[in-house]
Amino acid sequence: ISPGSVAVTLGVGTDTPSVSLAPGDSATTSDTFTLQTSSGTDVIQSVTVTLASSTSQALSLVEITSDNEATVYGSTTTPSTDTFTITTAALTANTTETQYRVRITPKSHANMPAVPGATYNVTSYVSNLKTTTGGKTGSDTGGATSTIITIDNTSPSTPSSVSGATHVGIEQIVITYT
């Protein structure tokens, strides 16, 4: 196969439902994408992932996995920007359209931005990829906002009212707040 004779088509996968997570929750799929070649097999050397603006700060891990999530092809820890490249190993594309996943893990509560915190509506998509022998066609942007992973790190509101009472002879204090 001569260079440039194989085209890898990047496509939108069947995205998963939107979910809400708390800091420290387990990994979840934020995007699905497909790969398929025009002929033969091509090795995908890296995948560029783009997240919604200012949401990378809420993530401890981003992974590229097989559709059943049993195989991790590459990952990055604590991304510092909303667009980054993940080097992949053993990720291939062939003439059968195959679905893969972008899986994210939120930071622990202790590693999240400090009070007052924020809510992060994370969306992601594969914005580019680097192949070994061919060029890239297609895009994953069509599904870029269909799965929203909400990571809720907001601090509780200040109570609107607080009252307390002590009971004579009982070592108990009751505090009520709204």
Side-chain angles (χ1 to χ4, degrees), residues 89-154:
L91 179 60
T92 59
N94 58 41
T95 56
T96 301
E97 183 178 65
T98 305
Q99 181 166 282
Y100 299 94
R101 294 175 182 256
V102 176
R103 185 169 64 185
I104 63 170
T105 304
K107 287 181 178 176
S108 68
H109 186 70
N111 291 323
M112 283 287 202
V115 172
T119 298
Y120 302 92
N121 294 314
V122 181
T123 58
S124 65
Y125 66 96
V126 173
S127 54
N128 203 0
L129 51 90
K130 182 178 179 186
T131 67
T132 303
T133 61
K136 177 192 84 78
T137 64
S139 78
D140 181 35
T141 57
T145 59
S146 60
T147 298
I148 301 170
I149 308 301
T150 302
I151 301 172
D152 185 0
N153 184 47
T154 53

